Amino acid sequence: MRAEGIETARRILCVFPRYTSSFGTFEYAYPLTDGVQAFMPPQGLLLIAAYLPANWQVRFIDENIRPASAEDFRWAEAVFVSGMHIQRQQMNDICRRAHAFDLAVAIGGPSVSACPDYYPSFDYLHVGELGDATDELIARLARDPSRPGRQVVLKTGDRVDMSDFPIPAYELAETRKYLLGSIQYSSGCPYQCEFCDIPGLYGRNPRLKTPQQIVAELDKLRECGMTDTVYFVDDNFIGNRKAAVDLLPHLIEWQKRTGYITRLACEATLNIAKRPEILAKMREAFFVTIFCGIETPDPDALKAMQKDHNMMVPILEGIHTINSYGMEVVSGIIMGLDTDKPETGDALLAFVDESRIPLLTINLLQALPKTPLWDRLEREGRLINDDDSRDSNVDFRLPYEQVVSAWRKCMEVAYEPEKLFARYQYQCDYTYANRLKVPVSPEMKSWANIRRGLIMLRNIFWKVGVLGNYRKAFWKFALGRLRHGDFEGLLGSAITAHHLIMFARAASVGQQNASNYSIRLREASVPAE
Ligand code: SF4
């Protein structure tokens, strides 16, 4: 549904801020692809764009692809911005540039919803989700798009039911320039891990779209050219198990209808390994990756962070079970926990070897506002919010330098090319071999698809196989894949591995943040034109 009853037409410029360089956005991988420039289309801004009155014109700019230009700002009557804490500096910078054109700027999304005080210069703060605050913002801009005399804070009390959400305006995004497509089925998570802001921001009782909405969204993503991999950005895909079970048959039908050209991925708690009936359906729906917040292999640490649900099955067994359904596990890992000891880094590296997970996002603990961790550390006087030289705002139990150097060592060793390719080799031989054998659709055989594959192969062979400085490890892996005729395994693994190796090398010499959430900023803001 859209906002209704507004007659005045407006022109809204939606700007998504650039990310600082981070492990989770895969920018080292982009030069190996056929033109990828950004990670995922932002759900929030595209949702708002679709919700605006039908007679309003919307222009969407993702500054990860190109900066908003002077012409964009001159065209607009008001600017909308959204993003996460890590994009805070860039969001404030967009506001500054829009104000240079005397435009009213509204900010929404997770960062401002948790911390409105981070954004003193914006004209409108939209706190919370799509709802009455959105309607009020639209009504105010319809009446008068100029900048208000002082900041107006609009808080959503009444949320729009997710089953009434419009399909995000994917048509405004240059979908081919994204590494992954994004889609959202549910919001919220029933658990209460100490460090996580999801339950505080979105609630513990997951709210849902309908399966029909998801199928319509997938169709639209396909129409817009987003076919490779679509990522369910739900906080926990099995946060409501019944809902997941209800959705899966629809996804299976959709895959059958459209020829399995889209791979699916999601985030879920590791206890999904206890649900073979869900895993079997996910395999049938062509899910190929699950991101699991394993956080740590240390049971005492899991208990301390209220993540006991990760221990419902032994961790390694759980990973192996998920792999047996053809799904690769990507793992979140946290270092700097109160339970960490001097030997934690070595234990983590042993876990990396044993689990054979290729991709682990290893982060230093960061206390986010609106989390039990934040509250506890505040009580204990262990929040450090005024030191920009640190990669974490937590006063660790171990000395800061010791934690950071353990993190650097873990990054360096875990992503040594030989070790990483050995883990990918295992995934190819075991996990990927367990995937659904999908029929070769006309789309897969199309010249456009073959051309894309050839471009990527050329980039990989040239930039890694000829010019790269880990050629030996690469060719050992690549020749094995070529002998098996496994181009898909080669492409997917080599592209991701390149990012991991290059990022880890930069990280191990202190050139990258040790936390995806760190507000320490290493990139200049986008300059105004
Ligand atoms: S299970 Fe995941 S989403 Fe849920 S509270 Fe824990 S960390 Fe957050």
Side-chain angles (χ1 to χ4, degrees):
M1 92 187 206
R2 279 182 177 276
E4 286 166 356
I6 304 283
E7 285 181 7
T8 327
R10 295 280 175 228
R11 293 184 305 278
I12 304 295
L13 178 65
C14 294
V15 188
F16 188 64
R18 202 144 63 118
Y19 287 110
T20 45
S21 175
S22 104
F23 185 87
T25 49
F26 292 92
E27 65 264 21
Y28 287 106
Y30 303 164
L32 301 185
T33 65
D34 64 330
V36 166
Q37 286 179 257
F39 186 46
M40 278 197 283
Q43 282 283 312
L45 263 187
L46 295 176
L47 174 66
I48 292 282
Y51 185 76
L52 292 175
N55 58 341
W56 287 29
Q57 292 180 56
V58 185
R59 198 179 274 191
F60 167 72
I61 305 289
D62 184 337
E63 295 212 319
N64 294 285
I65 295 174
R66 75 158 176 96
S69 67
E71 194 277 319
D72 292 322
F73 287 117
R74 272 196 293 270
W75 169 86
E77 291 177 282
V79 177
F80 285 9
V81 179
S82 169
M84 300 185 287
H85 293 319
I86 192 171
Q87 294 160 299
R88 173 177 166 189
Q89 179 173 311
Q90 289 86 340
M91 289 192 274
N92 280 317
D93 184 60
I94 294 166
C95 181
R96 179 187 60 72
R97 285 183 281 145
H99 281 168
F101 291 83
D102 204 24
L103 292 167
V105 195
I107 181 170
S111 181
V112 69
S113 296
C115 299
D117 50 320
Y118 283 179
Y119 302 100
S121 28
F122 281 79
D123 302 290
Y124 293 100
L125 303 191
H126 179 289
V127 176
E129 295 175 70
L130 192 71
D132 49 0
T134 326
D135 293 333
E136 178 62 20
L137 176 63
I138 292 169
R140 282 176 182 249
L141 290 174
R143 278 198 301 275
D144 179 6
S146 60
R147 294 185 60 189
R150 61 185 146 109
Q151 186 174 71
V152 177
V153 181
L154 304 168
K155 288 189 185 161
T156 289
D158 232 357
R159 290 184 294 212
V160 174
D161 201 294
M162 282 185 80
S163 60
D164 287 328
F165 274 18
I167 296 180
Y170 297 122
E171 71 278 8
L172 298 178
E174 295 178 84
T175 51
R176 279 278 173 211
K177 294 193 174 162
Y178 288 94
L179 188 68
L180 301 172
S182 60
I183 195 165
Q184 184 174 23
Y185 177 47
S186 68
S187 174
C189 177
Y191 297 111
Q192 282 186 299
C193 306
E194 191 192 30
F195 58 85
C196 181
D197 60 355
I198 298 296
L201 281 174
Y202 304 114
R204 295 187 60 197
N205 192 8
R207 292 166 307 116
L208 301 163
K209 292 181 185 167
T210 63
Q212 290 73 20
Q213 279 173 288
I214 293 300
V215 169
E217 283 197 33
L218 286 168
D219 280 336
K220 184 157 178 191
L221 277 168
R222 232 173 95 85
E223 273 165 35
C224 296
M226 192 88 232
T227 51
D228 290 357
T229 304
V230 173
Y231 195 99
F232 278 82
V233 298
D234 304 36
D235 311 309
N236 181 0
F237 189 70
I238 56 161
N240 178 332
R241 276 197 298 276
K242 183 184 171 308
V245 170
D246 289 347
L247 174 65
L248 284 166
H250 295 267
L251 296 181
I252 294 168
E253 276 314 303
W254 183 79
Q255 292 283 27
K256 285 183 182 161
R257 168 161 68 81
T258 56
Y260 295 93
I261 57 164
T262 303
R263 294 145 173 271
L264 300 176
C266 69
E267 297 181 13
T269 36
L270 189 60
N271 54 5
I272 195 171
K274 275 190 63 172
R275 300 284 162 181
E277 72 286 3
I278 293 182
L279 292 173
K281 293 273 178 222
M282 289 176 79
R283 177 178 178 273
E284 264 190 86
F286 210 25
F287 275 85
V288 296
T289 307
I290 304 184
F291 181 102
C292 293
I294 292 173
E295 323 304 359
T296 166
D298 176 0
D300 292 339
L302 287 171
K303 221 176 170 41
M305 66 171 76
Q306 280 101 50
K307 200 149 190 175
D308 312 52
H309 50 275
N310 265 6
M311 295 186 288
M312 287 167 85
V313 280
I315 292 178
L316 291 174
E317 192 183 309
I319 295 163
H320 195 259
T321 301
I322 295 170
N323 291 161
S324 73
Y325 287 88
M327 288 177 275
E328 182 182 327
V329 173
V330 170
S331 167
I333 295 286
I334 303 175
M335 296 181 76
L337 300 165
D338 282 5
T339 42
D340 278 8
K341 305 167 203 70
E343 54 275 15
T344 291
D346 290 337
L348 183 56
L349 287 170
F351 170 75
V352 173
D353 283 344
E354 283 166 352
S355 68
R356 289 156 156 179
I357 296 175
L359 202 177
L360 307 98
T361 63
I362 309 173
N363 270 308
L364 289 194
L365 182 68
Q366 174 84 3
L368 298 175
K370 296 227 164 160
T371 59
L373 176 68
W374 175 283
D375 296 341
R376 176 169 69 81
L377 294 179
E378 194 167 49
R379 279 195 309 274
E380 294 173 5
R382 293 175 55 209
L383 279 179
I384 303 176
N385 284 319
D386 54 359
D387 184 351
D388 284 352
S389 68
R390 291 171 57 97
D391 273 340
S392 168
N393 60 354
V394 177
D395 183 7
F396 301 125
R397 294 266 188 230
L398 292 173
Y400 175 76
E401 278 311 327
Q402 188 177 347
V403 175
V404 173
S405 70
W407 175 80
R408 286 193 185 136
K409 182 176 169 212
C410 283
M411 292 297 284
E412 185 183 348
V413 177
Y415 294 114
E416 277 172 11
E418 293 75 13
K419 281 178 182 279
L420 178 59
F421 280 118
R423 301 202 297 275
Y424 270 119
Q425 183 68 50
Y426 171 83
Q427 297 298 324
C428 291
D429 292 343
Y430 181 66
T431 306
Y432 307 165
N434 285 319
R435 283 182 184 159
L436 195 67
K437 307 287 174 280
V438 298
V440 181
S441 66
E443 217 160 326
M444 284 181 205
K445 286 188 287 192
S446 69
W447 169 239
N449 201 38
I450 293 169
R451 191 172 163 273
R452 290 187 63 217
L454 289 174
I455 292 173
M456 290 194 264
L457 272 183
R458 180 203 61 194
N459 291 342
I460 292 167
F461 287 158
W462 178 246
K463 292 179 182 172
V464 179
V466 177
L467 302 179
N469 50 14
Y470 58 91
R471 287 189 292 268
K472 200 166 151 218
F474 166 75
W475 280 115
K476 187 173 163 211
F477 171 78
L479 290 174
R481 288 301 95 209
L482 291 171
R483 267 196 297 277
H484 284 83
D486 180 14
F487 290 98
E488 221 171 279
L490 170 59
L491 284 177
S493 308
I495 287 175
T496 312
H498 186 65
H499 171 74
L500 302 177
I501 291 165
M502 301 313 285
F503 186 95
R505 285 181 176 174
S508 63
V509 292
Q511 288 170 1
Q512 289 289 356
N513 286 350
S515 168
N516 274 344
Y517 304 100
S518 172
I519 56 163
R520 179 137 79 101
L521 300 164
R522 293 182 189 271
E523 266 183 44
S525 52
V526 178
E529 275 200 359

